[in-house]
């Protein structure tokens, strides 16, 4: 469960400050499928960064699975992130590694035993339908395939939450549907999924809870009608 | 940390040495130069103090007599005066004939000319002291006896060597400081370059929940390995330099016998390797600390 308790985030630069999020209050329950919508600069990425503790709220607190992120010491952050899988718009695959190694990387860097790695990586590659591409390099894949590898990497450590920041932003519409279908299947298997997107059509097609941000504030929240400020 | 990840991390660290070989060679080179210079200072100082100890423990002085003093005078008058000095335990008369006879073999055909009237050497006493701590007083008392021309004082050499040794120590100290800082700078820059070249991977590592320790280990391994290689190379270089220099020095003066390298080879190589690894480890710690604190703490360009 993720709880935002009166969360505000202000970025301060030398010349100005920008209020990326303002007094956000909401709760995302386990196994929810949530779309986060909003114009550019509305604070969508900031919302995700706060959940990952990439950023710390300027005001308020976020509780993830009962733990306060504001009070969480730096050394505990890696363990928080192991329970989350992240998918970026630009895939973020390591070009010089094969598909297999890209996915295995996420397990290796948290110290998983290599025996377990092989089995698990092949399993998730199969899940995203890319087992046959295990030995390929990212440069040999289409955008949709790259994003599926990236999704496999996010899944490989069996996270409770998948966080995707515009996962379909760089790929064709048909491929987008494929990725969204995968995400919703993952969600049906019990993983919370948060997807930031610009594409209203996807939202209409896949349903789920929709949180709309505008200029840092939650302006509508389909799953939390009573609680939106 | 689980042991299972270690093999992977060590491999990554070693890979990046090869990947970055130009910088690796540069930092090993700088480290080696630093270690060779400081090692040379150490070895010189070690030898000098050994010689000083040896010379300083010598409780014998040669007392040379004036030319116009006959052998009879020397034995009858000067001998007792020398023996009267409380700290003198023994005084052995060495006539100029006996002295020149020591050089018979070396002089060869010239020997005959140098005996009798042509003998350039003075009569002398070999004086042994019972208490070395009274050395200076005793030499002073000896020099006051009439008819004594000169007292050979090995302490003189010892004190010159000691001041040389002090100089070497001071220079050595500053060499260690300056070159240590230079090495640290070079090594930490090498590691920093590796870090920047792998910033994308580091960013992914952190976003999937790798601990800072885990992120650091390959760079730590890289730094230590560079230091280790430098330590080994230094040990070899110094060995060859030492053997060469020692051979030359033995020819210069008989009492400057160099300590055989193999008697201190193991400890000194261990010191080189350890200091190389410490500098390597520190260098990587410095750059990693900076990197992870500033740029590397965030997910790149998100
Ligand atoms: N590191 C930062 N320093 C300063 N300002 C920032 C920083 N990150 C974001 N901002 C500002 O905060 C606001 C929200 O940014 P955010 O990245 O959350 O928007 P977004 O909704 O993800 O936009 P987009 O759809 O373009 O990705 C913007 O005005 C942005 O300029
Ligand atoms: Mg964004």
């Amino acid at each position: 469960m993720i709880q935002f308790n009166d969360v505000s985030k202000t970025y301060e630069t030398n010349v100005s400050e920008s209020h990326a999020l303002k007094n956000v209050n909401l709760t995302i329950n386990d196994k929810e499928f949530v779309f986060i919508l909003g114009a550019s600069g509305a604070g969508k990425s900031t919302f995700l960064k706060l959940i990952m503790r990439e950023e710390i709220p300027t005001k308020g607190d976020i509780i993830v699975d009962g733990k306060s992120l504001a009070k969480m010491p730096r050394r505990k952050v890696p363990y928080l992130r192991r329970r989350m899988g992240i998918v970026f718009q630009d895939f973020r695959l390591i070009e010089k590694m094969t598909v297999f190694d890209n996915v295995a990387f996420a397990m290796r860097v948290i110290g998983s035993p290599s025996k377990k790695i092989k089995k698990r990586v092949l399993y998730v590659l199969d899940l995203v339908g890319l087992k046959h591409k295990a030995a390929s390099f990212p440069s040999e894949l289409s955008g949709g395939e790259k994003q599926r590898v990236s999704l496999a990497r996010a899944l490989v450590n069996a996270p409770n939450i998948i966080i995707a920041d515009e996962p379909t932003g760089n790929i064709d519409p048909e491929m987008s549907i494929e990725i969204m279908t995968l995400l919703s299947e993952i969600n049906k298997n019990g993983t919370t999924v948060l997807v930031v997107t610009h594409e209203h059509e996807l939202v209409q097609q896949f349903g789920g809870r929709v949180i709309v941000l505008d200029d840092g504030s939650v302006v509508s929240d389909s799953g939390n009608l009573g609680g939106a400020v | 940390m689980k042991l299972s990840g270690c093999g992977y991390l060590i491999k990554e660290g070693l890979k990046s040495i090869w990947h970055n070989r130009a910088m690796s060679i540069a930092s090993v080179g700088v480290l080696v130069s630093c270690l060779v210079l400081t090692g040379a200072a150490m070895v010189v100082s070690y030898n000098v103090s050994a010689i000083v100890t040896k010379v300083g423990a010598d409780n014998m002085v040669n007392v040379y007599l004036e030319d116009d003093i006959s052998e009879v005078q020397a034995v009858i008058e000067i001998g007792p005066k020398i023996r009267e000095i409380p700290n003198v335990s023994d005084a052995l008369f060495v006539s100029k004939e006996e002295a020149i006879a020591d050089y018979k073999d070396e002089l060869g055909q010239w020997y005959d000319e140098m005996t009798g009237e042509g003998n350039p050497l003075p009569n002398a006493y070999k004086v042994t002291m019972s208490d070395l701590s009274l050395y200076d007083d005793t030499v002073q008392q000896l020099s006051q006896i009439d008819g004594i021309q000169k007292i050979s004082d090995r302490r003189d050499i010892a004190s010159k060597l000691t001041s040389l040794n002090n100089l070497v120590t001071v220079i050595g100290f500053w060499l260690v400081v300056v070159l240590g800082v230079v090495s640290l700078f070079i090594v930490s820059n090498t590691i920093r370059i590796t870090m920047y070249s792998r910033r994308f991977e580091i960013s992914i590592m952190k976003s999937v929940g790798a601990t800072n320790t885990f992120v650091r280990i390959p760079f730590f391994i890289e730094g230590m390995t560079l230091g280790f290689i430098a330590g080994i190379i230094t040990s070899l270089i110094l060995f060859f330099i030492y053997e060469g220099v020692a051979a030359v020095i033995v020819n210069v003066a008989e009492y400057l016998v160099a300590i055989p390298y193999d008697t201190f080879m193991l400890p000194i190589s261990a010191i080189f390797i350890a200091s190389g690894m410490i500098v390597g480890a520190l260098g990587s710690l410095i750059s990693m600390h900076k990197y992870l604190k500033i740029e590397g703490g965030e997910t790149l360009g998100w």
Side-chain angles (χ1 to χ4, degrees):
Chain A
M1 195 169 75
I2 303 165
Q3 268 176 285
F4 274 61
N5 294 335
D6 198 28
V7 172
S8 297
K9 175 68 190 176
T10 305
Y11 292 104
E12 292 198 36
T13 58
N14 296 335
V15 284
S16 66
E17 52 180 40
S18 81
H19 302 278
L21 283 183
K22 298 169 196 164
N23 307 91
V24 175
N25 281 290
L26 54 82
T27 299
I28 296 168
N29 288 308
D30 287 347
K31 301 176 191 184
E32 273 197 86
F33 192 108
V34 182
F35 279 112
I36 296 137
L37 278 170
S40 183
K44 307 181 295 296
S45 297
T46 302
F47 183 81
L48 300 185
K49 285 178 188 176
L50 288 168
I51 295 173
M52 274 184 72
R53 207 179 180 275
E54 173 87 7
E55 297 288 353
I56 300 163
T58 319
K59 195 169 87 42
D61 196 2
I62 298 157
I63 315 288
V64 177
D65 294 338
K67 296 206 177 67
S68 153
L69 298 195
K71 293 192 196 113
M72 181 177 281
R74 261 169 68 108
R75 69 192 152 78
K76 291 258 175 78
V77 173
Y79 303 96
L80 169 80
R81 292 191 185 165
R82 287 177 198 188
R83 287 184 278 121
M84 302 174 172
I86 297 114
V87 178
F88 299 97
Q89 179 174 0
D90 55 359
F91 324 128
R92 305 207 166 203
L93 302 177
I94 299 165
E95 293 295 324
K96 61 173 204 261
M97 286 186 192
T98 61
V99 165
F100 181 93
D101 284 331
N102 262 288
V103 178
F105 186 72
M107 290 185 85
R108 287 187 179 131
V109 301
I110 64 164
S112 304
S114 44
K115 242 180 155 174
K116 197 176 140 198
I117 292 176
K118 188 163 183 216
K119 234 176 104 184
R120 177 73 188 164
V121 171
L122 290 176
Y123 173 77
V124 290
L125 280 178
D126 198 26
L127 214 66
V128 301
L130 282 178
K131 202 173 174 181
H132 61 291
K133 295 272 187 183
S136 304
F137 286 89
S139 57
E140 298 159 3
L141 304 179
S142 73
E145 286 169 331
K146 282 184 196 171
Q147 196 57 298
R148 271 145 64 193
V149 176
S150 165
L151 187 54
R153 182 177 63 195
L155 284 172
V156 80
N157 288 322
N160 305 334
I161 308 166
I162 289 279
I163 292 172
D165 196 350
E166 305 199 35
T168 58
N170 280 3
I171 51 185
D172 313 343
E174 308 96 81
M175 292 293 177
S176 301
I177 302 215
E178 218 173 87
I179 293 289
M180 290 310 303
T181 308
L182 271 170
L183 282 170
S184 91
E185 273 165 24
I186 291 159
N187 173 250
K188 287 197 184 90
N189 286 320
T191 308
T192 311
V193 175
L194 307 184
V195 182
V196 161
T197 185
H198 276 128
E199 294 164 71
H200 291 261
E201 314 83 68
L202 281 181
V203 178
Q204 277 151 17
Q205 195 170 338
F206 284 87
R209 177 175 170 186
V210 182
I211 297 171
V212 181
L213 287 173
D214 184 32
D215 195 23
S217 300
V218 177
V219 290
S220 106
D221 182 349
S222 68
N224 200 359
L225 292 170
V229 179
Chain B
M1 191 212 336
K2 281 166 235 146
L3 208 69
S4 47
C6 279
Y8 171 74
L9 295 175
I10 291 170
K11 222 163 58 193
E12 286 302 301
L14 298 181
K15 256 202 262 173
S16 76
I17 291 182
W18 178 247
H19 191 77
N20 244 346
R21 47 197 174 278
M23 271 312 272
S24 299
I25 290 170
S27 36
V28 167
V30 172
L31 260 174
V32 166
S33 338
C34 297
L35 286 174
V36 164
L37 284 171
T38 44
M42 261 166 63
V43 166
V44 167
S45 156
Y46 180 49
N47 269 286
V48 170
S49 50
I51 291 163
V52 168
T53 313
K54 206 172 81 186
V55 172
D58 201 347
N59 58 350
M60 209 132 75
V61 286
N62 287 328
V63 175
Y64 300 107
L65 307 181
E66 304 266 14
D67 267 350
D68 55 358
I69 293 186
S70 70
E71 286 187 22
V72 180
Q73 257 182 311
V75 175
I76 293 173
E77 289 176 19
I78 297 179
K81 280 188 194 154
I82 292 176
R83 291 189 191 92
E84 240 167 51
I85 298 171
N87 191 34
V88 170
S89 62
D90 193 22
L92 178 72
F93 180 69
V94 184
S95 71
K96 52 187 355 187
E97 297 306 324
E98 285 168 319
I100 200 77
D102 280 347
Y103 297 95
K104 187 172 177 180
D105 287 344
E106 282 151 67
L107 289 170
Q109 58 177 102
W110 312 107
Y111 180 65
D112 287 339
E113 278 176 41
M114 293 212 163
T115 51
E117 287 297 301
N119 190 341
L121 298 179
N123 290 317
Y125 270 99
K126 269 192 178 10
V127 175
T128 310
M129 297 180 202
S130 41
D131 183 357
L132 258 176
S133 64
L134 301 173
Y135 188 96
D136 290 334
D137 285 344
T138 312
V139 169
Q140 170 68 21
Q141 286 166 316
L142 282 169
S143 66
Q144 273 159 15
I145 298 171
D146 278 340
I148 287 183
Q149 178 203 11
K150 195 179 147 213
I151 298 165
S152 84
D153 193 351
R154 281 196 169 180
R155 286 263 166 136
D156 215 32
I157 299 167
S159 81
K160 277 186 189 125
L161 284 175
T162 305
S163 54
L164 173 72
N165 202 8
N166 292 339
L167 187 69
V168 169
T169 309
V170 170
I171 293 174
F173 173 79
W174 287 109
L175 268 178
V176 171
V177 171
V178 172
L179 297 178
V181 171
V182 171
S183 314
L184 264 183
F185 182 76
I186 301 280
V187 171
S188 67
N189 263 330
T190 303
I191 304 285
R192 179 131 31 138
I193 286 172
T194 316
M195 265 186 168
Y196 272 99
S197 71
R198 301 184 62 186
R199 61 190 184 283
F200 183 65
E201 277 156 81
I202 293 175
S203 160
I204 295 169
M205 284 172 92
K206 298 216 62 173
S207 73
V208 301
T211 56
N212 272 351
T213 313
F214 228 84
V215 174
R216 283 185 187 121
I217 286 173
F219 301 100
F220 205 64
I221 301 272
E222 181 180 353
M224 297 230 284
T225 307
L226 292 176
F228 179 78
I229 295 171
I232 300 260
I233 294 176
T234 305
S235 305
L236 291 174
I237 289 181
L238 212 73
F239 170 72
F240 289 114
I241 294 180
Y242 191 84
E243 295 286 285
V245 172
V248 173
I249 280 184
V250 171
N251 290 335
V252 176
E254 125 270 342
Y255 50 82
L256 288 180
V257 179
I259 302 162
Y261 195 77
D262 46 353
T263 60
F264 59 90
M265 182 168 70
L266 281 181
I268 208 167
S269 303
I271 290 174
F272 289 147
I273 291 169
S275 9
M277 288 174 82
I278 288 170
V279 171
L282 275 180
S284 48
L285 276 181
I286 291 172
S287 53
M288 288 182 304
H289 182 75
K290 273 195 197 152
Y291 184 82
L292 288 176
K293 203 123 210 198
I294 310 162
E295 306 91 337
E298 291 173 9
T299 304
L300 267 181
W302 182 33

